[in-house]
Amino acid sequence: TQLLEQSPQFLSIQEGENLTVYCNSSSVFSSLQWYRQEPGEGPVLLVTVVTGGEVKKLKRLTFQFGDARKDSSLHITAAQPGDTGLYLCAGAGTASKLTFGTGTRLQVTL
Amino acid sequence: DTGVSQDPRHKITKRGQNVTFRCDPISEHNRLYWYRQTLGQGPEFLTYFQNEAQLEKSRLLSDRFSAERPKGSFSTLEIQRTEQGDSAMYLCASSLEFPGPGTEAFFGQGTRLTVV
């Protein structure tokens, strides 16, 4: 069974602060995806990383895939209240079925 | 194409009743997935289809649950004799078949089920 652990589970920060969310597994994934989900809505895809060591930037968000393709991180610079939500990492295995992480709930306050 | 569509968005039902949810995937996507998500948790895999074939079912999918994708397009998820523990958000997602960036899964807005 492929498991993805995310840390921290909860994060409450003030606007303008930086933060990093981690996604770790003992399994290798062919690709890893990050989603953000708001209450009552489905997850919305932010990025997909495929190559070990890959770094992708999406405005203030920086995503990194570990060299061994077992872990990933999401770094947010100068967080804004609009970044508030549940951040989910999800790994795609050989069958391309997604396995989701436990989620990180982010609260950004003014 | 407006993305993955789920219907209904919300369903309240009495314990013991049957419910059916529908998912319309992105039209060119071969794969369709059903997930269940309880409050504060990440989605848990239930089952997935490649075209009309149901390729995998989770142990979470008890005998009361059945999913179909008869023509390889839309899918339905039926829960028979609902129990309070079935209360959750049921998410549908679709993706292309091959590995790599094409396996990005796009989710619908979900169906929130409340069993009273």
Side-chain angles (χ1 to χ4, degrees), chain A residues 1 30-31 33 35 37 40-43 45 48 50 86 88 92 95-103 105, chain B residues 9 31 33 35 37 40-43 45 48 56 89 91 97-101 103-109:
Chain A
T1 302
S30 60
S31 67
Q33 298 163 23
Y35 293 83
Q37 186 178 24
E41 302 292 329
L45 181 66
T48 299
V50 177
L86 178 68
L88 296 159
S96 300
K97 178 186 71 179
L98 285 179
T99 300
F100 277 87
T102 47
R105 188 162 298 282
Chain B
R9 289 291 310 277
R31 291 202 170 186
Y33 308 82
Y35 285 81
Q37 185 178 28
Q41 302 296 315
F45 170 77
Y48 87 89
E56 187 174 346
M89 173 79 91
L91 294 164
E97 176 181 342
F98 49 88
T103 55
E104 292 153 335
F106 296 88
F107 283 81
Q109 293 179 303

Side-chain angles (χ1 to χ4, degrees), chain B residues 13-17 62 64-65 79-87 90 113-116:
Chain B
T13 191
K14 291 184 178 179
R15 190 174 53 186
Q17 296 294 306
S62 75
R64 296 184 297 106
F65 288 70
I79 308 174
Q80 295 181 326
R81 305 181 303 281
T82 52
E83 301 172 357
Q84 286 187 320
D86 297 331
S87 296
Y90 289 84
L113 173 66
T114 303
V115 182
V116 298

Side-chain angles (χ1 to χ4, degrees), chain A residues 33-106:
Chain A
Q33 298 163 23
W34 284 92
Y35 293 83
R36 190 177 83 186
Q37 186 178 24
E38 299 193 17
E41 302 292 329
V44 175
L45 181 66
L46 296 175
V47 79
T48 299
V49 285
V50 177
T51 307
E54 182 177 3
V55 177
K56 280 192 174 178
K57 291 192 176 184
L58 189 67
K59 296 182 180 178
R60 295 176 294 101
L61 278 60
T62 301
F63 305 85
Q64 186 163 7
F65 202 12
D67 291 341
R69 291 186 289 135
K70 292 182 179 181
D71 54 84
S72 181
S73 64
L74 157 60
H75 182 79
I76 301 178
T77 303
Q80 299 177 358
D83 296 328
T84 294
L86 178 68
Y87 287 82
L88 296 159
C89 64
T94 54
S96 300
K97 178 186 71 179
L98 285 179
T99 300
F100 277 87
T102 47
T104 294
R105 188 162 298 282
L106 172 65

